[in-house]
Amino acid sequence: MIQTIRKAWGIPELRKKILFTLLILVIYRIGSAIPVPYVDTNTLSAYLNGMGTTILGLYNVMSGGAFAQATVFALGIQPYINSSIIIQLLTVAIPALERMQREGGEEGKKKLQSITRYATVGIAFLQALGYYFILRNGFNGQSMLTQDSIWVALVIMVSWVAGSSFLMWLGEQCNEFGVGNGISMILFAGIISRVPNMVSDLYQGIISGTMHWGWTVLIVVGVLLLVVLIVFVNDAERRIPVQYAKRQVGRKMYGGQSSNLPMKVNMSGVLPIIFAQSIASIPATIGAFLPTRPAEGSFGYALLNAIDTKSFLYLVVYFVLIIGFSYFYASIQFNPVEISNNLKRNGGFIPGFRPGKPTSDFIAKVLNKVTLFGAIYLGVVAIVPLLADKFMAMSIGIGGTSVIIVVGVALETVKALENQMLMRQYKGFLE
């Protein structure tokens, strides 16, 4: 990776792209340090940092801690991600959007992108409104606003919506003039910004005696093994052999080539973990908003412990939801019937299977097996950090979602740099 960046730095065009990407990330981090007015950030930070792995805690991690500080970029890039996922799901459910995506060409893609932008602004407004009411209602009846009026609400919500929209624009500029995917790079920068605090907490834990140095070694080794696993599975794929029949057009013979149908082990990425965590943590999030905790030994106390994000029940539900969402996203992204029909139209077939339904059944069978392995992999990556938090005296402050995003973005960026260098170093046939 370091060698690739060094080679890319020696190419003037790539150097400009790298510098532009770094400029985008610097602007993002500056905006993440500018708080909106009228908010008591100290009380808010203490409140949200104690939310753990609830929905609000997940937002705080994805925004790089900006959510807990109520900064201009507190909503982060999440409204755009949510909007993209919703539009992607709607293209499967609504025929008009599906036709626009498939048959509209470049103009259709621009229209879908425009719809996604408008949806981003709408989702950002709803999230800003909910966040404002959290600040207004406060913690234990104590408001986290220094002032409260219609003007204050308008200033706070407009600042958050504008910040989220600006981040969406920065991501698109990074796609066009920078390196890699702009949205992924912003997520990457937000998660990486929390690493120094995590290292500092571990060091303070060792100094104060709350964390044994042996646990620290196990954490470092565990994170390294997790990274190795993610790198190994990230590019893993099942290749189904495809043979194309020979056909004669005039005097020329076409076809007869051998190819393969790649099927990635983890084709749904990190989305199943994000959705599963959001749904599984809803009961714990509701419990965290209770003004007072039930008395020890009561039914309410036992119920809160059962739905807590460190309970065994939560881990089981979390794991099952990850597997369910993995199959759901695999079925959306990979349609065996459609692929079988495309192979049949192009004169392709899978050796040993007749075109049509036998081919689609075989592809569906392979897809289910590959998806199961990918789902179990995602479940292990998501559960292992939670188990570590459960049995240690303090939280390690990093989850499987964060590790997958960081490693995945790093691999994608290196691959993008290598492709750019390959394009510029190719000398053609005449030389």
Side-chain angles (χ1 to χ4, degrees):
M1 178 178 177
I2 298 177
Q3 190 69 18
T4 301
I5 296 176
R6 288 181 59 186
K7 290 181 180 178
W9 188 260
I11 302 175
E13 293 182 35
L14 287 184
R15 189 188 308 132
K16 291 180 180 178
K17 287 179 174 289
I18 294 174
L19 290 175
F20 185 83
T21 304
L22 292 176
L23 177 63
I24 293 292
L25 298 183
V26 169
I27 294 174
Y28 166 63
R29 291 309 304 162
I30 292 175
S32 298
I34 302 176
V36 298
Y38 310 118
V39 178
D40 184 1
T41 56
N42 293 328
T43 306
L44 175 64
S45 179
Y47 172 60
L48 289 180
N49 287 332
M51 296 295 284
T53 52
T54 62
I55 296 177
L56 299 182
L58 176 63
Y59 259 86
N60 192 33
V61 171
M62 292 300 176
S63 65
F67 190 76
Q69 297 293 329
T71 66
V72 176
F73 293 158
L75 298 182
I77 203 67
Q78 279 74 27
Y80 180 78
I81 295 175
N82 295 337
S83 173
S84 301
I85 294 172
I86 291 173
I87 298 300
Q88 181 184 2
L89 296 177
L90 289 179
T91 54
V92 180
I94 302 178
L97 291 178
E98 187 177 5
R99 287 195 300 269
M100 185 185 300
Q101 184 184 34
R102 293 186 178 180
E103 304 170 5
E106 193 64 30
E107 190 65 26
K109 291 181 180 179
K110 289 182 179 179
K111 289 181 179 179
L112 280 178
Q113 186 65 25
S114 178
I115 294 173
T116 304
R117 293 193 188 102
Y118 286 118
T120 299
V121 176
I123 292 174
F125 176 78
L126 292 177
Q127 292 181 351
L129 182 64
Y131 193 15
Y132 168 76
F133 278 115
I134 291 176
L135 298 178
R136 184 181 180 184
N137 295 334
F139 177 57
N140 289 336
Q142 179 184 358
S143 175
M144 289 179 263
L145 297 174
T146 57
Q147 298 182 32
D148 190 13
S149 65
I150 297 179
W151 169 252
V152 169
L154 184 63
V155 169
I156 292 176
M157 289 192 292
V158 167
S159 299
W160 284 333
V161 174
S164 182
S165 303
F166 182 66
L167 279 183
M168 175 181 64
W169 181 80
L170 284 181
E172 293 177 352
Q173 296 304 305
C174 187
N175 290 339
E176 186 173 355
F177 303 108
V179 178
N181 185 284
I183 305 303
S184 300
M185 294 299 293
I186 291 174
L187 271 178
F188 175 86
I191 295 172
I192 286 294
S193 65
R194 294 176 59 87
V195 173
N197 289 335
M198 183 191 72
V199 175
S200 176
D201 291 342
L202 288 177
Y203 177 75
Q204 293 297 329
I206 295 174
I207 296 299
S208 61
T210 57
M211 170 71 75
H212 193 270
W213 63 269
W215 282 113
T216 305
V217 174
L218 286 177
I219 290 173
V220 174
V221 173
V223 171
L224 292 178
L225 291 176
L226 207 59
V227 170
V228 171
L229 176 64
I230 293 171
V231 172
F232 176 76
V233 178
N234 187 73
D235 295 327
E237 60 184 16
R238 167 76 157 85
R239 296 177 181 177
I240 301 176
V242 176
Q243 184 73 33
Y244 288 91
K246 292 183 179 180
R247 51 194 174 93
Q248 187 170 353
V249 180
R251 293 185 175 182
K252 293 185 178 180
M253 186 72 69
Y254 294 92
Q257 301 96 348
S258 296
S259 181
N260 61 72
L261 181 65
M263 195 178 294
K264 290 185 70 69
V265 172
N266 183 28
M267 64 179 65
S268 55
V270 75
L271 290 179
I273 295 182
I274 295 177
F275 271 79
Q277 184 173 358
S278 300
I279 294 177
S281 59
I282 287 177
T285 304
I286 296 174
F289 282 113
L290 294 177
T292 57
R293 190 171 180 85
E296 187 173 353
S298 64
F299 174 76
Y301 182 82
L303 180 62
L304 286 180
N305 285 338
I307 64 175
D308 186 72
T309 53
K310 291 186 178 182
S311 67
F312 180 75
L313 177 63
Y314 171 83
L315 296 179
V316 172
V317 172
Y318 188 21
F319 188 83
V320 171
L321 285 175
I322 289 175
I323 293 179
F325 278 115
S326 296
Y327 275 98
F328 173 72
Y329 276 102
S331 65
I332 290 178
Q333 297 180 357
F334 211 92
N335 190 341
V337 176
E338 183 180 348
I339 292 173
S340 175
N341 292 335
N342 290 337
L343 289 176
K344 187 177 181 179
R345 282 195 295 266
N346 294 318
F349 63 93
I350 298 175
F353 297 91
R354 296 179 59 187
K357 191 174 185 304
T359 298
S360 64
D361 291 342
F362 173 73
I363 295 175
K365 182 180 178 181
V366 175
L367 177 64
N368 289 333
K369 291 181 179 179
V370 171
T371 303
L372 178 61
F373 182 83
I376 293 176
Y377 148 76
L378 286 177
V380 170
V381 172
I383 294 297
V384 166
L386 296 180
L387 290 175
D389 283 348
K390 185 178 180 65
F391 293 108
M392 287 194 312
M394 60 178 293
S395 174
I396 60 176
I398 189 170
T401 310
S402 303
V403 179
I404 292 178
I405 292 175
V406 169
V407 176
V409 172
L411 293 176
E412 288 178 5
T413 305
V414 170
K415 189 176 294 184
L417 284 174
E418 290 176 347
N419 292 337
Q420 293 282 345
M421 287 190 293
L422 185 63
M423 291 171 54
R424 287 162 174 77
Q425 292 176 357
Y426 179 68
K427 297 182 180 180
F429 295 105
L430 297 179
E431 297 182 13

